[in-house]
Amino acid sequence: MMSYPIPVYTAQAVKDWESRWFVAGNSSYGLMQQAALMMANHLLGQLAPSRVCIWCGSGNNGGDGYLLAVYLSRHHTVHIYQIAPPASADALRACQAAIDAGISITNAPVVADVHIDAVFGNGLDRPLTDEMLVIVDDYNTHTGYKIAIDIPTGLHPDTGMPLPASMRADMTLCLMGYKVGLLTGCAKSHVGKLICLPLIPADDALITTAHIDNTLPTLPTRDGSRSHQHKGDYGSVMVIGGHPTMGGAVIMSAETAISVGAGRVTISTHPNHHPAIIARKPNLMVHDIDQMYEARPEHMTAICIGMGLGRDKWSLVVCDVYRQKLAQLTIPIIIDADALWCLAYCSNIRLPANAIATPHHAEAARLLGISADAVEADRIHAIRSLQSRYGGQWVLKGANTLTINMHGKIRICTLGNAAMATAGMGDVLSGMMAGILAQAPTTPIHQIVALHAYCGDVLSADGIVVDVNQMGRMASQTLKAIAK
């Protein structure tokens, strides 16, 4: 598991990086040879002797494929499907090297155990032609293990969206550095296992767009050295939500907050839900949300608001009252679910740095006044736009959740899985954030996102979907293990 910041780049940043390398006097063909050799060495340790078909395009990605064929042919039976003749000088030279090595070059794919996509690499940012779409479909229907060189053909290198279709890989060998499009949008459905093969050193002019960061948080331990402390020393959380007809979300959020170590948790919700809360979790305190004017959030050390709050006039009144109360506080405030719906109705509002909003793509779309598809089409742009318009810190939930902190730094969490796509998962995240930040308010939000996703990965082995009721327990066990 990657647990330290790893830089991620746009396609243009990588192209400029390569150009500076060549301007400095380094060989472009030498870099192609180095890329192919590193890929071959990696694959020789992964693949049993097998029949390999490499699908080569006309550009330098195809050139990588020709040279890869040369190096793999020492241990495998290799065929090259030449989709188009090589068009660049380096690709021509690589093609000749394959011919000289006696590699079979055909104008149609062959039956193989392994198919390697060397058609388009980092440079494709336009829709595929009809002819190319047929080839993509042909590749995807072939049986065998699929490997993409640099990025699957048809996947946008900056957004991770198909153009409009993409070859699917079981493994992607990413060259130079991680590209944004391998980690956002629909990438998880196309790239398979992602392996990065660095080729040259980063220079001072290289621009980083984001970082992969799966670091898990560390909380103060409750060992003998802290035995004089009491529950108030571990933070107080208020969970605000629960429309008269929707009480489950606040319960899940509050249960998670107390499971990750918060000393006290109060649920401000409609009285309809008080008996269920007390019966299910008697160590949670309750407050009548209709008595909002008497609420004292200033006594808390973290607050989360919005879970199951509803979307009607009553909800808007609750949000407006608490917005005014919370505006004077500097404690962490997590804004989730229906509070985000209310936020979309507020004009000219700016969130303070201590506010953390946690939308999924549809909620983000409502806040930005665009479609949910537009959010997914460029998630990096979407999270930047949210912060630019509203201020605060943001979590854009989804496959490879994004976070942006108060300094505008974006982190990508590569943990998590499709089994987490179930009701209540976002409520659990909000409670987890509130519970941890109540104890350690300087904890980076991306670390809490990573903990949430990690717990989902561990629990996903138990069923088709993750049991959200077990997330708090798993988070508690994980935090305890980290502390040791």
Side-chain angles (χ1 to χ4, degrees):
M1 181 178 72
M2 291 175 281
S3 58
Y4 53 90
I6 300 173
V8 181
Y9 312 107
T10 64
Q12 190 58 54
V14 174
K15 291 176 190 175
D16 292 343
W17 182 19
E18 287 182 335
S19 296
R20 292 190 297 272
W21 181 254
F22 302 145
V23 168
N26 297 291
S27 165
S28 58
Y29 187 71
L31 186 63
M32 185 178 285
Q33 289 176 305
Q34 183 179 344
L37 184 59
M38 288 188 70
M39 288 189 290
N41 287 339
H42 179 81
L43 293 177
L44 289 173
Q46 301 287 317
L47 304 176
S50 53
R51 184 179 172 91
V52 178
C53 180
I54 304 181
W55 302 45
C56 288
S58 61
N60 285 343
N61 196 251
D64 293 337
Y66 288 119
L67 291 180
L68 177 59
V70 174
Y71 300 138
L72 286 181
S73 67
R74 298 166 187 170
H75 301 277
H76 302 272
T77 302
V78 182
H79 298 265
I80 293 172
Y81 166 29
Q82 188 180 79
I83 293 173
S88 72
D90 287 343
L92 280 166
R93 188 174 174 185
C95 180
Q96 188 59 52
I99 293 170
D100 294 343
I103 307 294
S104 169
I105 300 178
T106 66
N107 59 5
V110 300
V111 175
D113 306 301
V114 179
H115 291 271
I116 299 179
D117 164 18
V119 185
F120 288 112
N122 190 34
L124 184 69
D125 59 1
R126 62 189 183 278
L128 296 172
T129 63
D130 290 343
E131 180 183 9
M132 196 65 237
L133 287 172
V134 172
I135 293 172
V136 167
D137 183 64
D138 190 21
Y139 183 89
N140 289 336
T141 55
H142 269 73
T143 59
Y145 191 76
K146 308 289 181 62
I147 300 170
I149 294 180
D150 205 22
I151 190 165
T153 290
L155 198 67
H156 195 291
D158 290 340
T159 67
M161 299 302 290
L163 294 165
S166 170
M167 292 181 174
R168 295 181 182 270
D170 298 297
M171 176 191 294
T172 296
L173 300 175
C174 173
L175 304 176
M176 299 285 287
Y178 287 100
K179 285 81 175 176
V180 176
L182 294 170
L183 299 160
T184 61
C186 298
K188 270 199 169 182
S189 299
H190 293 81
V191 303
K193 184 179 181 181
L194 186 55
I195 306 295
C196 186
L197 301 176
L199 303 180
I200 61 176
D203 59 26
D204 293 338
L206 182 58
I207 299 172
T208 300
T209 294
H211 287 84
I212 301 169
D213 198 335
N214 296 327
T215 306
L216 301 181
T218 301
L219 292 180
T221 59
R222 299 194 184 198
D223 56 19
S225 64
R226 298 169 62 88
S227 58
H228 65 285
Q229 295 189 319
H230 56 81
K231 62 185 178 182
D233 293 313
Y234 292 97
S236 298
V237 174
M238 177 177 280
V239 178
I240 304 167
H243 189 274
T245 61
M246 295 184 290
V250 285
I251 297 175
M252 288 185 286
S253 185
E255 285 182 337
T256 307
I258 207 161
S259 293
V260 296
R264 294 179 294 207
V265 178
T266 299
I267 305 179
S268 180
T269 189
H270 194 274
N272 285 359
H273 314 308
H274 291 188
I277 294 168
I278 295 168
R280 179 181 171 95
K281 203 79 170 178
N283 57 335
L284 297 175
M285 294 179 283
V286 294
H287 172 265
D288 184 351
I289 198 170
D290 284 329
Q291 303 299 317
M292 64 192 86
Y293 296 99
E294 287 74 44
R296 302 296 296 273
E298 64 271 18
H299 293 166
M300 302 294 154
T301 55
I303 290 173
C304 57
I305 181 171
M307 295 68 62
L309 188 61
R311 301 179 180 182
D312 56 20
K313 291 181 179 179
W314 179 85
S315 310
L316 289 170
V317 169
V318 171
C319 271
D320 187 61
V321 170
Y322 274 105
R323 178 179 62 82
Q324 296 176 54
K325 285 178 173 287
L326 302 181
Q328 309 304 317
L329 305 182
T330 58
I331 62 172
I333 300 169
I334 295 88
I335 305 169
D336 188 34
D338 294 330
L340 295 168
W341 177 84
C342 296
L343 179 62
Y345 280 87
C346 298
S347 58
N348 302 319
I349 190 170
R350 292 290 297 177
L351 300 175
N354 57 299
I356 304 157
T358 61
H360 53 59
H361 68 294
E363 291 164 337
R366 185 178 299 110
L367 287 161
L368 292 172
I370 60 178
S371 69
D373 287 344
V375 170
E376 286 296 282
D378 195 339
R379 287 169 57 81
I380 294 286
H381 177 71
I383 198 169
R384 282 181 173 150
S385 298
L386 287 165
Q387 186 176 65
S388 176
R389 180 176 297 190
Y390 293 98
Q393 304 180 67
W394 290 82
V395 177
L396 182 54
K397 297 179 289 194
N400 289 349
T401 290
L402 305 179
T403 62
I404 187 167
N405 68 11
M406 64 188 75
H407 305 296
K409 302 296 184 183
I410 297 175
R411 294 291 188 268
I412 303 173
C413 177
T414 59
L415 306 177
N417 60 86
M420 297 176 70
T422 186
M425 195 58 67
D427 306 310
V428 166
L429 174 60
S430 294
M432 193 176 294
M433 297 190 82
I436 290 174
L437 292 172
Q439 304 167 73
T442 60
T443 303
I445 58 173
H446 69 266
Q447 293 186 5
I448 306 173
V449 167
L451 174 64
H452 178 261
Y454 172 79
C455 293
D457 283 341
V458 174
L459 291 170
S460 65
D462 295 337
I464 297 174
V465 296
V466 172
D467 182 356
V468 295
N469 297 300
Q470 298 298 317
M471 289 285 285
R473 175 188 60 81
M474 180 56 60
S476 176
Q477 292 176 359
T478 303
L479 289 168
K480 183 177 180 180
I482 293 169
K484 290 181 180 179

